[in-house]
Amino acid sequence: KWHDGDELLGSFSLEFTLTIIPTLPLLIRYEDDCASNNKCPECGGDCDNDKHCDYGLICSQRQGIEEVPGCAGAGESGKDYCSYPRTSNTLVI
C-alpha cells in the first residue's frame, strides 16, 4: 500500500514506436485542362508546361502511367500532372 512519504524504489522505462504513414493526394484530371489562366494544384492535370501549375509546382511529363512525385494513383495514361520538383530521393516542398 502506498503512503505519503513513500519512495519509489527501482526504475522503469517506457518505449514505443510511432509510425506515420503519409497520405498522398490522388492524381486528378480536370475537365478543363490546366492553363496559364487556369493553374492546376498539386496532383492536378492535364498540364503542358510549368506555367500551367500553381506556384512552386512543375508539370511532370509522362508517356504512359509513370509515377508522379508526391501523388498517388495512376491517373490518365499520357496525361501530365503538376507536382513538387524532386531532387534525387528528396521531395522538395
Side-chain angles (χ1 to χ4, degrees):
K1 190 171 183 176
W2 188 265
H3 299 286
D4 280 343
D6 286 350
E7 293 182 27
L8 179 63
L9 301 176
S11 64
F12 68 94
S13 65
L14 177 63
E15 291 184 32
F16 62 92
T17 302
L18 176 63
T19 303
I20 299 174
I21 302 172
T23 303
L24 298 175
L26 287 173
L27 292 173
I28 299 173
R29 169 75 160 74
Y30 293 99
E31 186 174 319
D32 295 327
D33 289 343
C34 310
S36 295
N37 63 348
N38 185 36
K39 296 181 185 283
C40 279
E42 180 183 14
C43 303
D46 179 35
C47 57
D48 293 322
N49 60 60
D50 296 352
K51 293 179 182 178
H52 293 172
C53 301
D54 280 344
Y55 179 79
L57 301 175
I58 61 167
C59 183
S60 295
Q61 302 290 317
R62 308 180 330 150
Q63 299 300 313
I65 56 169
E66 295 90 354
E67 177 184 322
V68 175
C71 302
E76 193 174 322
S77 181
K79 299 299 179 182
D80 308 316
Y81 295 86
C82 299
S83 67
Y84 285 100
R86 186 180 287 260
T87 311
S88 66
N89 289 331
T90 303
L91 183 62
V92 178
I93 299 177

